[in-house]
Amino acid sequence: MNEALPDVPEVRVVGLPQLTSGFDLVARLDLPMHLKVHGPLDPLGGEQLAQLAERINLKGRGGAGFPFHKKLRSVAESAIRRGVRPVVVVNGSEDEPACRKDTVLINRAPHLILDGALLCAEALGARTLVIGVTRESTQRSMEAALAERGLGNSRRAALRAWVQRNPVRMVTGAAASLIRSIDGGPAIPPGRKISASQSGVGGAPTLLSNAETFAQLAVAARIGPERYANTGLYDEPGTVMLTVSGAVARPMVVEVPTGVPLRYVLQLAGAPPVPQGVLTGGYHGKWIDAATVDEAIVSRNSLDAVGGSLGAGAILPIGQETCPLGESLRVAQWLAEESAGQCGPCYLGLPAAARGLEDILNGGGPAALEALKQVAKNVKRRGACSHPDGSAMFLESTLKAFTDDLAAHVLGNGCGRPVEGVLPLFEGGRAPTGVPGGGEPAESGASRQRIHVDWTLCRGHGLCADILPEVFELGADGFPTVAQAQVPRYAEAKALRAVRRCPALALRIEEDTRGQVPARNLPVLSQGRGRRALGR
């Protein structure tokens, strides 16, 4: 089984390095070494910076691919119109198990990222710079880089700068989640979609972009748009940072010019000569089949044209010897666990989708396939963030890319191949338990509480399934399908709420005395005590 990727895997470069310049000299470029390798950087005005970003066609490298010059101009116009100083935020929250390119940049070239962010802060007149991270290594590196520049969070400083550390969660990387955490809230989407360029940190216009994006801007500002355009494609100039893992001999982060054949990148990492498929863009990305791999080049437009996605820059081939649907099921289960637990399409729809794919593998036939397609369709464009959309896209791509295997499972007895766990997940391949609401990892796992249904009282109101979908599902008759179940630790508060709100008082929570785990502080309500308390 594939182990989790290290924070800083092997780094390679195709052609001349730009972002990875100096990596052959030292493990981490501190400020003096950074200046020796890259040289000084002159400030640019706001419009100059926007024109530079436009000329090099710089788009966000975190997955969405939004044009940076439009974002920069939008923040500037909003700040001027409102008469407030904007905020600059670097999003270094790289929480996908298959992505490490931003983590590598923060650990090894933090000052290149700061160069781009400080260029923007000075051009916009910002007085606040925040770098969002989720890993201990990236926190240490970026805090050291700020100290090397004499930057800190002093109220008397001309520029306040600090590192915001959040839990490692898929939804933490969403822009709205990072902004919410900077403002003191949990690192989960707020449930309403507001443009950060108009109202971000503290309600101020906020320029938020991915770590690699700021590093690319710093390179272009030093060498100029003409020289920058000498590398890569004319319509997507420059280089791209990719994380290559999955069924490869050497998992790595590689910097490549746009236009390099995808086949060459796979060979560099020791992928199978004829992969069964390649997942492009990460776990919110899309599969392409072996025939399509030969057509694809490393660029956003090329990958889109062949049905793939550049996304977060993750490239994951799988070999012919493993079941692609089984490999995708592991990822689908992890994506379901990563829900923030706030909206039904996500915390209900994604587990249902994972169960649907599991039903297909277990011989559910055409009915299971149609059910999965319907669930995936229903979760899209209905969530509080992009997590359900990206997860549904991954599932739909899986069904489209592996039609032969799908037919073998739906119409026959399966493909007969094992699931080897080649797609990396955290904790040595195990999917971490989700923590809705952004709780700490200690809140994961099972508690010592069990919730019981008293069938003599239950009237099938269904409120328990609405409040506690982790435990209860309703059967065709409208009644819960389980009589008792253990409560996940993160759902303890919701379990208590379900007990209190049950109109028929048919639920109770009891302590599970099996095992030796110390009891937590969830109140243990007997049925009688619950009735008296709730009847007041």
Side-chain angles (χ1 to χ4, degrees):
M1 179 169 286
N2 208 342
E3 293 296 322
L5 294 175
D7 279 10
V8 183
E10 177 185 358
V11 179
R12 300 287 296 273
V13 61
V14 175
L16 295 176
Q18 292 188 356
L19 302 180
T20 58
S21 293
F23 280 23
D24 58 333
L25 303 175
V26 292
R28 177 184 179 275
L29 279 74
D30 60 12
L31 185 57
M33 181 59 74
H34 168 75
L35 292 174
K36 285 181 182 178
V37 170
H38 292 283
L41 180 60
D42 296 326
L44 295 174
E47 184 54 29
Q48 285 181 293
L49 205 57
Q51 289 178 4
L52 171 65
E54 187 172 10
R55 289 184 65 182
I56 65 172
N57 195 20
L58 180 60
K59 295 182 178 179
R61 301 298 177 90
F66 191 81
F68 188 80
H69 70 92
K70 292 184 178 180
K71 188 180 295 186
L72 188 62
R73 287 191 173 108
S74 177
V75 171
E77 291 167 1
S78 180
I80 292 170
R81 183 176 65 253
R82 293 173 53 190
V84 298
R85 289 193 180 275
V87 175
V88 175
V89 176
V90 177
N91 192 348
S93 307
E94 194 170 41
D95 302 314
E96 235 181 278
C99 296
R100 289 296 184 276
K101 50 106 173 174
D102 288 324
T103 302
V104 163
L105 285 175
I106 296 173
N107 273 286
R108 300 199 61 182
H111 289 284
L112 198 61
I113 299 166
L114 285 179
D115 278 347
L118 292 171
L119 272 176
C120 294
E122 185 165 354
L124 292 169
R127 293 293 178 262
T128 302
L129 168 63
V130 186
I131 301 95
V133 301
T134 54
R135 302 174 184 275
E136 183 180 353
S137 64
T138 50
Q139 180 182 9
R140 285 199 309 265
S141 180
M142 193 53 78
E143 286 180 342
L146 291 177
E148 288 164 6
R149 289 178 180 252
L151 295 173
N153 194 17
S154 171
R155 294 182 180 275
R156 291 176 291 181
L159 176 71
R160 297 180 63 185
W162 73 90
V163 176
Q164 174 73 25
R165 171 87 179 271
N166 289 324
V168 178
R169 300 279 319 281
M170 184 74 164
V171 294
T172 300
S177 299
L178 178 53
I179 289 172
R180 191 177 185 186
S181 71
I182 295 170
D183 283 338
I188 56 177
R192 63 188 186 280
K193 296 180 180 179
I194 301 175
S195 170
S197 300
Q198 305 302 313
S199 179
V201 175
T206 298
L207 178 69
L208 186 149
S209 201
N210 161 265
E212 184 193 342
T213 312
F214 284 108
Q216 293 283 2
L217 184 67
V219 168
R222 275 189 169 88
I223 67 177
E226 292 82 9
R227 184 176 164 194
Y228 187 93
N230 287 338
T231 300
L233 300 170
Y234 76 95
D235 57 342
E236 293 183 50
T239 63
V240 175
M241 295 286 285
L242 301 173
T243 310
V244 188
S245 63
V248 298
R250 299 179 301 278
M252 64 177 59
V253 168
V254 56
E255 182 183 14
V256 300
T258 55
V260 168
L262 181 61
R263 168 70 65 186
Y264 180 78
V265 175
L266 294 172
Q267 290 173 349
L268 188 68
V274 183
Q276 184 174 186
V278 178
L279 180 59
T280 59
Y283 294 160
H284 278 176
K286 298 178 180 179
W287 289 99
I288 57 176
D289 59 27
T292 305
V293 170
D294 291 329
E295 305 173 23
I297 62 174
V298 177
S299 82
R300 188 176 302 277
N301 291 338
S302 171
L303 288 172
D304 287 346
V306 297
S309 170
L310 180 61
I315 305 295
L316 301 105
I318 60 170
Q320 299 285 348
E321 68 283 351
T322 187
C323 173
L325 299 184
E327 298 292 342
S328 297
L329 173 60
R330 294 175 64 249
V331 175
Q333 291 170 334
W334 179 79
L335 290 169
E337 289 285 344
E338 286 297 285
S339 168
Q342 296 189 118
C343 56
C346 192
Y347 82 86
L348 294 177
L350 296 188
R355 289 194 298 270
L357 184 54
E358 188 173 17
D359 287 345
I360 291 173
L361 290 167
N362 289 334
L369 175 59
E370 289 306 313
L372 173 56
K373 289 181 177 179
Q374 189 61 43
V375 171
K377 178 181 178 181
N378 289 342
V379 302
K380 290 191 295 185
R381 294 180 294 277
R382 295 175 59 209
C385 68
S386 61
H387 182 55
D389 293 352
S391 302
M393 181 170 68
F394 166 79
L395 285 165
E396 290 176 335
S397 173
T398 300
L399 301 181
K400 183 178 180 181
F402 303 109
T403 53
D404 290 344
D405 293 88
L406 188 63
H409 283 282
V410 171
L411 303 176
N413 296 320
C415 67
R417 287 174 291 180
V419 178
E420 299 185 335
V422 298
L423 300 180
L425 296 173
F426 290 126
E427 303 175 11
R430 297 187 300 275
T433 302
V435 189
E440 292 300 318
E443 294 299 314
S444 63
S447 72
R448 291 189 64 193
Q449 310 301 327
R450 295 184 72 81
I451 191 164
H452 297 254
V453 179
D454 186 334
W455 295 117
T456 66
L457 298 174
C458 181
R459 296 293 179 265
H461 293 95
L463 199 62
C464 57
D466 290 338
I467 297 175
L468 197 61
E470 297 90 341
V471 172
F472 292 114
E473 292 183 17
L474 300 182
D477 58 0
F479 285 82
T481 57
V482 296
Q484 58 176 297
Q486 195 161 24
V487 178
R489 187 171 297 175
Y490 68 80
E492 289 176 340
K494 290 202 288 184
L496 184 58
R497 188 158 64 248
V499 170
R500 289 173 173 166
R501 291 188 181 180
C502 177
L505 304 179
L507 300 177
R508 71 181 187 276
I509 295 174
E510 293 182 354
E511 183 177 353
D512 187 349
T513 57
R514 296 172 298 177
Q516 303 298 318
V517 180
R520 291 173 59 83
N521 293 325
L522 183 66
V524 180
L525 302 177
S526 69
Q527 181 178 316
R529 288 174 57 193
R531 288 185 190 177
R532 286 194 294 272
L534 295 169
R536 293 177 183 174

